[in-house]
Amino acid sequence: MSVAKGTLEIRNLSKTYVVDNNPLQILKNINITFPAGAFVSILGSSGCGKTTLLRIMLGLETSYDGDALIDGEKIEGPGSNRGIVFQDHRLLPWLTVGENVAFGLDKLNRKAKKLLVDEHLKLVGLSGFEGAYPAQLSGGMAQRVAIARALSNKPEILLLDEPLGALDALTRMYMQKELERLWELEKITMIMVTHDIDEAIYLSDKIIIMSSRPGIINKIINIPATRPRDRASSEFMQIKAEILNEFHLGSEYPFAYAI
Amino acid sequence: MSISKKTKAFLGGSIVPLVLVIVWQYVASSGYIASFILPSPGKVIDTFVTNFVEKAYATHIAASLKRVMIGFLIGTVSGFSFGLLMGLSRTAEKIFGPFFNVIRQVPIIGFIPLIIMWFGVTELPRIMIITVAAFYPVTLNTFAGIRNVPKEYFELSSVYGYKGLKLIRRIVIPAALPSITTGITLALGMSWAMLMAAELFIQTYFGIGTRIQLGRDKFNMALVIVGIITVGSLGFFMTTIVEQLAKALDRGRIIQKEN
């Protein structure tokens, strides 16, 4: 494989907040490599510091011990080489869908902007919606627009902060397929924070399981490369059981005997 | 036959005035109340017509309109600037906030003797009190609107490198716009209210308030009522224009409300 851009490395990273004069360690000695072009999920219950980790990768959080590197260079702040999709779509209600997608494209002229907006709305299946306002969209559609906005900047790395957490179960599964399709098409690194185990198994090459207080990496699970994944396959179930065990939620009897 | 929503709203809104006029007509023609105290609707319409036939009444309306417009505009622009400053800067809020919050507790009419002493019975104090009346609501609502801009929008902005003037112009003001336009609409109402105070307490030859005063002095209540109706209609008309402008500026979120 050629040296593709979009490798993110976290090295010996620790982060401590001070709450009421008491130091509270959020992240402790985190080491992860996100290979270029991979889909990696960070799985953990709330409070495990996964959002803080994402903010560090995004460049919004810059005071910590250790290193956060993109293609070998230290992250100094937010940059156009990274895109972000938040849990809430965070579209600006006073802008049209088209204007929202063009939010990060200020430096381009009108024509180039329009080209990119059209391209990315088409990519997420929302051609023709550029004149609509966010309030006219359903939750799933709004999140598609948010993804289009993040991708229109042509990032090397797309960060996803529980991107489907606010959607209903069925829409969520459709959107997981969508994310997979976009990932295969764009060939960029995607890093997703989630607490949905199925979602993580369905989408990821690698799952990083974190536990809380302080946030440490418990386990890294590599998922076999076959895609698309069958949510009902025994392989899928086995990985799920393995992850559930990590959270002490496993069945006392392995499912194979329980049937 | 179906009646449109608008027609229904209009018919609904007409019920109260219609009943009032009928009761008024009944009481006036019953003879219990002297006609110089409560003139009949017919007498008022007569006065209305003769007033509007005279060119002089137009001069009075123009004088009042000019006062309101100047005071309202200066008050709105300065209120917006001041609200913006206090909203954006905690330091400015600390310096000006307490003084502002104390002084606005004083009813504006309370300042009239003072400003007459300082500026004389001239046009300046009349416009000044209208300006102050418009200034308060615009300041307060601009300030509140800015402070209530969701922090998520700021986070999004920093991801996309929006800062300084660009952040204010493209994010802060649009996000605060509904609150700002509420302030402006309130300011217009306050301006009309204070116009009456300005014209009744600070003697002048021209203005609708002057006509109301004249009607009182001459025991001509029809003239007073004509003045009241004139002020009411003009105020309603101007408020409607401002509300429509506000709606036009805020298309995306109006849709949200209708859904």
Side-chain angles (χ1 to χ4, degrees):
Chain A
M1 213 170 90
S2 64
V3 190
K5 281 190 132 191
T7 306
L8 201 152
E9 281 170 287
I10 302 287
R11 289 216 191 116
N12 305 320
L13 190 141
S14 297
K15 164 90 188 161
T16 306
Y17 284 115
V18 177
V19 181
D20 296 332
N21 292 324
N22 297 316
L24 180 70
Q25 189 157 37
I26 301 290
L27 295 168
K28 190 178 171 185
N29 200 20
I30 305 285
N31 282 290
I32 321 172
T33 301
F34 301 91
F39 198 118
V40 181
S41 291
I42 302 170
L43 193 65
S45 52
S46 48
C48 72
K50 54 192 192 309
T51 298
T52 305
L53 192 57
L54 203 75
R55 286 175 60 86
I56 289 171
M57 297 193 257
L58 197 53
L60 290 176
E61 198 79 64
T62 47
S63 66
Y64 48 81
D65 298 323
D67 289 315
L69 310 166
I70 292 179
D71 300 326
E73 280 183 46
K74 200 165 162 52
I75 297 171
E76 304 278 5
S80 59
N81 57 355
R82 277 149 294 154
I84 171 84
V85 177
F86 299 98
Q87 180 175 7
D88 55 316
H89 55 71
R90 219 167 284 191
L91 300 176
L92 300 172
W94 60 88
L95 298 180
T96 62
V97 164
E99 288 163 345
N100 267 294
V101 174
F103 190 69
L105 305 175
D106 261 11
K107 290 184 184 104
L108 303 177
N109 64 34
R110 242 183 125 111
K111 217 175 147 189
K113 234 190 238 183
K114 192 182 172 333
L115 225 63
L116 277 173
V117 170
D118 288 350
E119 180 195 332
H120 287 90
L121 279 178
K122 192 177 171 207
L123 188 69
V124 298
L126 285 175
S127 289
F129 280 88
E130 53 269 20
Y133 283 96
Q136 295 169 301
L137 308 177
S138 68
M141 285 160 91
Q143 204 54 292
R144 281 167 197 260
V145 177
I147 293 170
R149 174 176 64 190
L151 290 177
S152 70
N153 257 355
K154 301 275 182 199
E156 298 161 20
I157 300 169
L158 183 64
L159 302 166
L160 302 144
D161 186 4
E162 299 185 27
L164 311 179
L167 305 177
D168 64 86
L170 278 176
T171 310
R172 202 171 170 143
M173 283 196 264
Y174 284 124
M175 288 298 288
Q176 286 163 6
K177 282 179 85 167
E178 274 296 284
L179 272 179
E180 184 179 39
R181 180 179 70 83
L182 291 171
W183 171 71
E184 282 173 343
L185 217 64
E186 297 281 301
K187 298 186 169 51
I188 57 175
T189 317
M190 291 197 183
I191 301 170
M192 177 172 73
V193 159
T194 184
H195 49 229
D196 182 326
I197 295 171
D198 286 40
E199 183 168 289
I201 302 171
Y202 185 79
L203 284 167
S204 316
D205 297 319
K206 187 153 99 172
I207 300 177
I208 290 152
I209 299 174
M210 291 182 67
S211 68
S212 11
R213 284 187 207 99
I216 52 168
I217 295 175
N218 252 4
K219 192 167 191 168
I220 296 179
I221 295 176
N222 289 301
I223 317 267
T226 47
R227 282 176 191 270
R229 288 180 182 141
D230 181 359
R231 295 171 203 270
S233 70
S234 68
E235 210 179 1
F236 196 99
M237 292 299 175
Q238 249 158 20
I239 297 168
K240 188 171 176 177
E242 191 183 344
I243 295 173
L244 282 171
N245 265 327
E246 280 302 314
F247 292 106
H248 309 291
L249 287 167
S251 162
E252 278 182 48
Y253 310 100
F255 68 96
Y257 305 107
I259 291 170
Chain B
M1 193 186 77
S2 70
I3 305 169
S4 80
K5 240 184 180 173
K6 269 190 179 166
T7 319
K8 260 188 196 164
F10 179 75
L11 288 176
S14 315
I15 293 172
V16 172
L18 218 63
V19 169
L20 267 178
V21 170
I22 291 166
V23 172
W24 175 12
Q25 174 67 49
Y26 175 78
V27 175
S29 58
S30 68
Y32 290 123
I33 298 172
S35 69
F36 71 85
I37 292 174
L38 184 72
S40 69
K43 177 81 189 348
V44 171
I45 291 168
D46 268 357
T47 315
F48 209 84
V49 173
T50 44
N51 255 308
F52 273 89
V53 170
E54 284 176 48
K55 216 175 144 194
Y57 203 63
T59 321
H60 291 295
I61 291 177
S64 289
L65 268 178
K66 195 174 148 198
R67 267 172 215 135
V68 169
M69 291 304 286
I70 295 173
F72 168 68
L73 281 178
I74 300 173
T76 299
V77 171
S78 53
F80 172 72
S81 315
F82 187 53
L84 191 66
L85 177 73
M86 285 211 299
L88 292 172
S89 156
R90 305 261 166 193
T91 317
E93 189 203 350
K94 275 184 198 140
I95 295 171
F96 299 112
F99 177 69
F100 173 76
N101 282 317
V102 169
I103 201 120
R104 77 185 171 85
Q105 304 303 323
V106 183
I108 300 162
I109 296 172
F111 290 117
I112 290 179
L114 204 58
I115 55 176
I116 289 179
M117 275 314 280
W118 289 348
F119 302 104
V121 182
T122 60
E123 193 66 3
L124 185 64
R126 282 179 214 115
I127 289 173
M128 271 173 71
I129 65 169
I130 296 169
T131 303
V132 175
F135 179 78
Y136 289 158
V138 177
T139 302
L140 285 171
N141 284 282
T142 304
F143 173 74
I146 288 172
R147 283 297 161 87
N148 288 330
V149 175
K151 73 173 192 337
E152 286 82 7
Y153 289 173
F154 289 109
E155 201 177 64
L156 181 77
S157 307
S158 54
V159 168
Y160 285 93
Y162 280 52
K163 51 192 163 203
L165 217 59
K166 188 177 170 189
L167 177 68
I168 295 170
R169 209 169 55 80
R170 301 269 298 273
I171 307 291
V172 176
I173 293 176
L177 195 66
S179 182
I180 296 170
T181 52
T182 302
I184 294 175
T185 313
L186 285 172
L188 190 59
M190 289 304 291
S191 300
W192 279 102
M194 281 303 128
L195 168 75
M196 285 299 101
E199 290 180 349
L200 293 175
F201 294 132
I202 309 171
Q203 290 290 326
T204 166
Y205 294 112
F206 294 103
I208 306 166
T210 315
R211 297 294 283 184
I212 292 175
Q213 182 88 34
L214 183 74
R216 196 192 74 177
D217 293 346
K218 287 185 165 179
F219 283 120
N220 184 351
M221 289 308 121
L223 202 57
V224 174
I225 294 171
V226 167
I228 289 168
I229 293 173
T230 310
V231 173
S233 327
L234 284 173
F236 177 74
F237 183 62
M238 279 176 67
T239 310
T240 310
I241 291 176
V242 169
E243 278 172 353
Q244 290 302 320
L245 278 174
K247 264 191 197 173
L249 278 174
D250 199 25
R251 273 194 59 205
R253 276 168 290 194
I254 297 297
I255 294 165
Q256 207 164 354
K257 276 176 207 155
E258 281 168 2
N259 277 349

